[in-house]
Amino acid sequence: VTRIPEAAAKGEKTAKIVAKRINDALSNEEFLAAGRFSNADIMLYIACGFFRVMKWTPQDELEHLGRWYAAMTDRGFAG
């Protein structure tokens, strides 16, 4: 697969903007949506794993996302 540097840079910039928004949303919430554990939490946990392709771990940089990520890991659903 050919990687297009311009597309990759745009995707990474967008991912960081979205991660910041999610971090802000988690500042007063335990879960991402519906006030309870949901599919949104599962999808976000998986997305955090995919960020490794960018060699980026937003859960290490963003306070509320980091707290949320640790809580989801502690739930044990991620194996």
Side-chain angles (χ1 to χ4, degrees), residues 1-2 7 13 15 17-18 20 23 25-26 29-31 39 42 44 60 74-75 77 79:
V1 175
T2 303
K13 181 179 178 181
I17 290 168
V18 171
K20 172 72 170 88
N23 183 67
L26 288 169
E29 300 293 336
E30 182 179 356
F31 302 106
N39 190 46
I42 296 168
L44 179 56
D60 293 342
D74 289 347
R75 286 182 77 90
F77 77 90

mmCIF file of all heavy atoms in Angstrom, residues 1-2 7 13 15 17-18 20 23 25-26 29-31 39 42 44 60 74-75 77 79:
data_model
loop_
_atom_site.group_PDB
_atom_site.id
_atom_site.type_symbol
_atom_site.label_atom_id
_atom_site.label_comp_id
_atom_site.label_asym_id
_atom_site.label_seq_id
_atom_site.Cartn_x
_atom_site.Cartn_y
_atom_site.Cartn_z
ATOM 1 N N VAL A 1 0.848 -1.174 0.000
ATOM 2 C CA VAL A 1 0.000 0.000 0.000
ATOM 3 C C VAL A 1 0.890 1.233 0.000
ATOM 4 O O VAL A 1 1.770 1.364 0.852
ATOM 5 C CB VAL A 1 -0.927 0.010 1.236
ATOM 6 C CG1 VAL A 1 -1.715 1.281 1.318
ATOM 7 C CG2 VAL A 1 -1.819 -1.202 1.227
ATOM 8 N N THR A 2 0.635 2.115 -0.918
ATOM 9 C CA THR A 2 1.389 3.355 -1.010
ATOM 10 C C THR A 2 0.816 4.371 -0.041
ATOM 11 O O THR A 2 -0.392 4.603 -0.020
ATOM 12 C CB THR A 2 1.326 3.922 -2.444
ATOM 13 O OG1 THR A 2 1.820 2.937 -3.336
ATOM 14 C CG2 THR A 2 2.142 5.184 -2.557
ATOM 15 N N ALA A 7 -1.851 13.086 2.636
ATOM 16 C CA ALA A 7 -3.080 12.513 3.188
ATOM 17 C C ALA A 7 -2.854 12.038 4.617
ATOM 18 O O ALA A 7 -3.712 12.222 5.492
ATOM 19 C CB ALA A 7 -3.573 11.363 2.311
ATOM 20 N N LYS A 13 -3.626 15.160 11.664
ATOM 21 C CA LYS A 13 -4.081 16.444 12.220
ATOM 22 C C LYS A 13 -5.535 16.339 12.665
ATOM 23 O O LYS A 13 -5.891 16.778 13.762
ATOM 24 C CB LYS A 13 -3.921 17.554 11.178
ATOM 25 C CG LYS A 13 -4.348 18.900 11.662
ATOM 26 C CD LYS A 13 -4.153 19.973 10.599
ATOM 27 C CE LYS A 13 -4.643 21.318 11.103
ATOM 28 N NZ LYS A 13 -4.497 22.358 10.088
ATOM 29 N N ALA A 15 -7.211 13.587 13.457
ATOM 30 C CA ALA A 15 -7.299 12.673 14.602
ATOM 31 C C ALA A 15 -6.957 13.392 15.899
ATOM 32 O O ALA A 15 -7.605 13.181 16.928
ATOM 33 C CB ALA A 15 -6.374 11.476 14.395
ATOM 34 N N ILE A 17 -7.273 16.620 16.526
ATOM 35 C CA ILE A 17 -8.356 17.556 16.835
ATOM 36 C C ILE A 17 -9.523 16.809 17.490
ATOM 37 O O ILE A 17 -10.074 17.241 18.503
ATOM 38 C CB ILE A 17 -8.817 18.299 15.565
ATOM 39 C CG1 ILE A 17 -7.730 19.282 15.107
ATOM 40 C CG2 ILE A 17 -10.141 19.017 15.794
ATOM 41 C CD1 ILE A 17 -7.954 19.857 13.722
ATOM 42 N N VAL A 18 -9.887 15.668 16.910
ATOM 43 C CA VAL A 18 -10.992 14.871 17.451
ATOM 44 C C VAL A 18 -10.649 14.340 18.843
ATOM 45 O O VAL A 18 -11.485 14.376 19.753
ATOM 46 C CB VAL A 18 -11.370 13.732 16.484
ATOM 47 C CG1 VAL A 18 -12.365 12.774 17.116
ATOM 48 C CG2 VAL A 18 -11.926 14.308 15.193
ATOM 49 N N LYS A 20 -8.738 15.687 21.034
ATOM 50 C CA LYS A 20 -8.834 16.819 21.974
ATOM 51 C C LYS A 20 -10.295 17.080 22.334
ATOM 52 O O LYS A 20 -10.625 17.312 23.495
ATOM 53 C CB LYS A 20 -8.193 18.061 21.347
ATOM 54 C CG LYS A 20 -8.386 19.342 22.131
ATOM 55 C CD LYS A 20 -7.570 19.374 23.401
ATOM 56 C CE LYS A 20 -7.575 20.737 24.054
ATOM 57 N NZ LYS A 20 -8.664 20.960 24.976
ATOM 58 N N ASN A 23 -11.375 14.388 24.642
ATOM 59 C CA ASN A 23 -10.789 14.660 25.953
ATOM 60 C C ASN A 23 -11.631 15.692 26.702
ATOM 61 O O ASN A 23 -11.939 15.519 27.877
ATOM 62 C CB ASN A 23 -9.351 15.150 25.797
ATOM 63 C CG ASN A 23 -8.675 15.379 27.128
ATOM 64 O OD1 ASN A 23 -8.432 14.451 27.878
ATOM 65 N ND2 ASN A 23 -8.381 16.637 27.418
ATOM 66 N N ALA A 25 -14.780 16.391 26.216
ATOM 67 C CA ALA A 25 -16.082 15.793 26.550
ATOM 68 C C ALA A 25 -15.981 14.880 27.766
ATOM 69 O O ALA A 25 -16.920 14.789 28.564
ATOM 70 C CB ALA A 25 -16.618 15.014 25.347
ATOM 71 N N LEU A 26 -14.842 14.216 27.925
ATOM 72 C CA LEU A 26 -14.653 13.306 29.055
ATOM 73 C C LEU A 26 -14.267 14.024 30.346
ATOM 74 O O LEU A 26 -14.160 13.382 31.386
ATOM 75 C CB LEU A 26 -13.592 12.252 28.710
ATOM 76 C CG LEU A 26 -14.018 11.200 27.695
ATOM 77 C CD1 LEU A 26 -12.813 10.382 27.228
ATOM 78 C CD2 LEU A 26 -15.086 10.288 28.278
ATOM 79 N N GLU A 29 -17.275 13.445 32.453
ATOM 80 C CA GLU A 29 -18.032 12.218 32.214
ATOM 81 C C GLU A 29 -17.161 10.992 32.476
ATOM 82 O O GLU A 29 -15.966 11.004 32.216
ATOM 83 C CB GLU A 29 -18.533 12.163 30.768
ATOM 84 C CG GLU A 29 -19.451 13.308 30.375
ATOM 85 C CD GLU A 29 -20.786 13.284 31.088
ATOM 86 O OE1 GLU A 29 -21.210 12.186 31.535
ATOM 87 O OE2 GLU A 29 -21.413 14.346 31.210
ATOM 88 N N GLU A 30 -17.793 9.944 32.936
ATOM 89 C CA GLU A 30 -17.096 8.669 33.139
ATOM 90 C C GLU A 30 -17.037 7.876 31.839
ATOM 91 O O GLU A 30 -16.085 7.143 31.581
ATOM 92 C CB GLU A 30 -17.822 7.861 34.209
ATOM 93 C CG GLU A 30 -17.164 6.547 34.530
ATOM 94 C CD GLU A 30 -17.888 5.776 35.623
ATOM 95 O OE1 GLU A 30 -18.872 6.283 36.204
ATOM 96 O OE2 GLU A 30 -17.461 4.637 35.884
ATOM 97 N N PHE A 31 -18.076 8.019 31.022
ATOM 98 C CA PHE A 31 -18.179 7.288 29.761
ATOM 99 C C PHE A 31 -18.355 8.265 28.611
ATOM 100 O O PHE A 31 -18.747 9.419 28.803
ATOM 101 C CB PHE A 31 -19.352 6.306 29.803
ATOM 102 C CG PHE A 31 -19.245 5.316 30.921
ATOM 103 C CD1 PHE A 31 -20.044 5.425 32.051
ATOM 104 C CD2 PHE A 31 -18.321 4.284 30.863
ATOM 105 C CE1 PHE A 31 -19.946 4.517 33.086
ATOM 106 C CE2 PHE A 31 -18.205 3.366 31.902
ATOM 107 C CZ PHE A 31 -19.012 3.482 33.008
ATOM 108 N N ASN A 39 -21.204 1.055 23.292
ATOM 109 C CA ASN A 39 -20.422 0.752 22.099
ATOM 110 C C ASN A 39 -19.446 1.893 21.784
ATOM 111 O O ASN A 39 -18.354 1.645 21.271
ATOM 112 C CB ASN A 39 -21.367 0.496 20.915
ATOM 113 C CG ASN A 39 -20.640 -0.043 19.719
ATOM 114 O OD1 ASN A 39 -19.824 -0.947 19.831
ATOM 115 N ND2 ASN A 39 -20.936 0.506 18.557
ATOM 116 N N ILE A 42 -16.258 1.244 23.549
ATOM 117 C CA ILE A 42 -15.513 0.151 22.915
ATOM 118 C C ILE A 42 -14.815 0.652 21.661
ATOM 119 O O ILE A 42 -13.628 0.392 21.445
ATOM 120 C CB ILE A 42 -16.447 -1.034 22.602
ATOM 121 C CG1 ILE A 42 -16.994 -1.633 23.899
ATOM 122 C CG2 ILE A 42 -15.719 -2.084 21.762
ATOM 123 C CD1 ILE A 42 -18.127 -2.614 23.702
ATOM 124 N N LEU A 44 -13.949 3.724 20.871
ATOM 125 C CA LEU A 44 -12.876 4.655 21.206
ATOM 126 C C LEU A 44 -11.658 3.899 21.720
ATOM 127 O O LEU A 44 -10.513 4.245 21.387
ATOM 128 C CB LEU A 44 -13.344 5.687 22.229
ATOM 129 C CG LEU A 44 -12.292 6.703 22.678
ATOM 130 C CD1 LEU A 44 -11.694 7.457 21.486
ATOM 131 C CD2 LEU A 44 -12.891 7.675 23.682
ATOM 132 N N ASP A 60 -1.823 9.049 26.714
ATOM 133 C CA ASP A 60 -0.670 9.463 27.519
ATOM 134 C C ASP A 60 -0.513 10.974 27.554
ATOM 135 O O ASP A 60 0.177 11.506 28.417
ATOM 136 C CB ASP A 60 0.625 8.842 26.971
ATOM 137 C CG ASP A 60 0.665 7.334 27.144
ATOM 138 O OD1 ASP A 60 -0.104 6.801 27.973
ATOM 139 O OD2 ASP A 60 1.458 6.688 26.440
ATOM 140 N N ASP A 74 -8.959 -1.227 33.022
ATOM 141 C CA ASP A 74 -9.241 -1.907 34.296
ATOM 142 C C ASP A 74 -10.519 -2.744 34.233
ATOM 143 O O ASP A 74 -10.662 -3.699 34.988
ATOM 144 C CB ASP A 74 -9.343 -0.895 35.435
ATOM 145 C CG ASP A 74 -7.995 -0.300 35.805
ATOM 146 O OD1 ASP A 74 -6.945 -0.839 35.363
ATOM 147 O OD2 ASP A 74 -7.990 0.720 36.517
ATOM 148 N N ARG A 75 -11.431 -2.377 33.334
ATOM 149 C CA ARG A 75 -12.677 -3.153 33.187
ATOM 150 C C ARG A 75 -12.386 -4.576 32.725
ATOM 151 O O ARG A 75 -13.168 -5.479 32.946
ATOM 152 C CB ARG A 75 -13.607 -2.507 32.160
ATOM 153 C CG ARG A 75 -14.292 -1.266 32.641
ATOM 154 C CD ARG A 75 -15.229 -0.732 31.577
ATOM 155 N NE ARG A 75 -16.460 -1.500 31.520
ATOM 156 C CZ ARG A 75 -17.559 -1.244 32.214
ATOM 157 N NH1 ARG A 75 -17.583 -0.229 33.041
ATOM 158 N NH2 ARG A 75 -18.629 -1.986 32.069
ATOM 159 N N PHE A 77 -12.262 -5.736 29.667
ATOM 160 C CA PHE A 77 -12.889 -6.188 28.437
ATOM 161 C C PHE A 77 -11.923 -6.240 27.271
ATOM 162 O O PHE A 77 -12.198 -6.883 26.264
ATOM 163 C CB PHE A 77 -14.106 -5.314 28.068
ATOM 164 C CG PHE A 77 -13.762 -3.973 27.472
ATOM 165 C CD1 PHE A 77 -13.607 -3.838 26.099
ATOM 166 C CD2 PHE A 77 -13.595 -2.879 28.268
ATOM 167 C CE1 PHE A 77 -13.288 -2.600 25.539
ATOM 168 C CE2 PHE A 77 -13.268 -1.646 27.724
ATOM 169 C CZ PHE A 77 -13.124 -1.510 26.356
ATOM 170 N N GLY A 79 -8.937 -7.539 27.177
ATOM 171 C CA GLY A 79 -8.036 -8.680 27.192
ATOM 172 C C GLY A 79 -6.691 -8.264 27.504
ATOM 173 O O GLY A 79 -5.665 -8.509 27.384
#
